[in-house]
Amino acid sequence: KNQVEQSPQSLIILEGKNCTLQCNYTVSPFSNLRWYKQDTGRGPVSLTIMTFSENTKSNGRYTATLDADTKQSSLHITASQLSDSASYICVVSARITGGGNKLTFGTGTQLKVEL
Amino acid sequence: EPEVTQTPSHQVTQMGQEVILRCVPISNHLYFYWYRQILGQKVEFLVSFYNNEISEKSEIFDDQFSVERPDGSNFTLKIRSTKLEDSAMYFCASGVIGGKNTEAFFGQGTRLTVV
């Protein structure tokens, strides 16, 4: 069964500090791995998307890494801001035979940035 | 910037009633999805739709659920005979035609409350 596990479950950091979120997955057939940011009561917003051949991808203060051999990914946030407070969700995509992609979501890491 | 639009933002219905959740995907997208998120839980895949037919559905998507693209712009999720456990946020997503990097853009969700 396809699964995505994330750690930690929740995290509190001070504004300006860096943090790293972890993701482990067992999804087949692997298509790509995405990190989403979800504010409470809102839809997920894509931060990065990486294919099998990509090791790292950056989007501003967000840097994602992917180790396809160990099936692990991380999301590093630098110089955190109060607005970074949200749930960060690791999502792994499997190609659907009939077309499109089926996304398997992790449970997310709830990040809170404080003054 | 184009976005996926969902209506209503919040729907309250009595148990046993039928509800229709509506979505307007991004105009040039061809792949459409419904996901749901029960409060406090992770986002779960329901169904994917391409070329006017379901390409994949999860075990959650039983005979109680159906999807339709009635007029070439709207994409609807119908839930018949709603149950208390159907209460959740329902997210519509759409993606452009393309390879395994097909991105899925999410709407803001419809919060369904079954009472």
Side-chain angles (χ1 to χ4, degrees):
Chain A
K1 183 180 179 181
N2 291 341
Q3 285 190 318
V4 177
E5 297 179 350
Q6 292 185 243
S7 62
Q9 192 173 31
S10 62
L11 183 62
I12 301 174
I13 61 174
L14 294 176
E15 187 182 29
K17 298 297 186 182
N18 304 334
C19 66
T20 301
L21 315 180
Q22 303 291 343
C23 172
N24 299 305
Y25 64 91
T26 53
V27 173
S28 180
F30 177 86
S31 181
N32 57 62
L33 185 144
R34 312 151 186 237
W35 283 92
Y36 281 86
K37 178 184 179 185
Q38 185 179 23
D39 294 309
T40 302
R42 311 282 285 181
V45 175
S46 179
L47 297 175
T48 63
I49 178 171
M50 290 184 292
T51 62
F52 185 87
S53 59
E54 294 177 293
N55 303 116
T56 185
K57 182 160 284 189
S58 292
N59 176 6
R61 295 181 296 103
Y62 302 105
T63 299
T65 65
L66 173 63
D67 185 336
D69 291 330
T70 61
K71 295 183 170 59
Q72 295 180 325
S73 176
S74 66
L75 179 70
H76 187 73
I77 305 173
T78 58
S80 60
Q81 300 174 359
L82 295 177
S83 58
D84 292 334
S85 296
S87 179
Y88 290 84
I89 309 173
C90 176
V91 182
V92 183
S93 174
R95 194 95 164 105
I96 297 172
T97 302
N101 291 275
K102 175 182 177 180
L103 304 182
T104 300
F105 283 70
T107 52
T109 292
Q110 190 66 42
L111 174 66
K112 185 174 182 181
V113 181
E114 295 182 337
L115 289 170
Chain B
E1 186 175 328
E3 59 181 13
V4 176
T5 305
Q6 290 186 242
T7 55
S9 57
H10 191 189
Q11 172 93 45
V12 181
T13 188
Q14 288 196 328
M15 192 167 52
Q17 296 297 304
E18 175 183 287
V19 294
I20 297 177
L21 309 183
R22 302 182 191 280
C23 170
V24 178
I26 295 173
S27 61
N28 63 332
H29 288 187
L30 297 176
Y31 297 88
F32 313 110
Y33 310 88
W34 282 102
Y35 289 81
R36 81 170 184 190
Q37 185 175 31
I38 295 171
L39 186 63
Q41 298 185 21
K42 64 180 180 180
V43 178
E44 301 172 290
F45 170 79
L46 291 179
V47 66
S48 63
F49 192 87
Y50 170 67
N51 200 26
N52 286 320
E53 62 182 19
I54 292 172
S55 48
E56 182 159 341
K57 58 183 181 179
S58 71
E59 58 274 10
I60 302 168
F61 195 88
D62 59 20
D63 292 342
Q64 183 192 7
F65 295 88
S66 63
V67 290
E68 195 176 35
R69 191 157 158 77
D71 57 12
S73 62
N74 290 287
F75 179 52
T76 62
L77 174 68
K78 181 187 290 186
I79 309 174
R80 288 179 282 274
S81 189
T82 50
K83 299 174 284 195
L84 294 176
E85 54 265 37
D86 294 328
S87 296
M89 279 288 278
Y90 287 82
F91 293 106
C92 172
S94 69
V96 297
I97 191 168
K100 57 185 178 180
N101 286 338
T102 298
E103 182 59 87
F105 294 85
F106 285 80
Q108 294 304 318
T110 292
R111 180 172 296 284
L112 176 65
T113 303
V114 182
V115 296

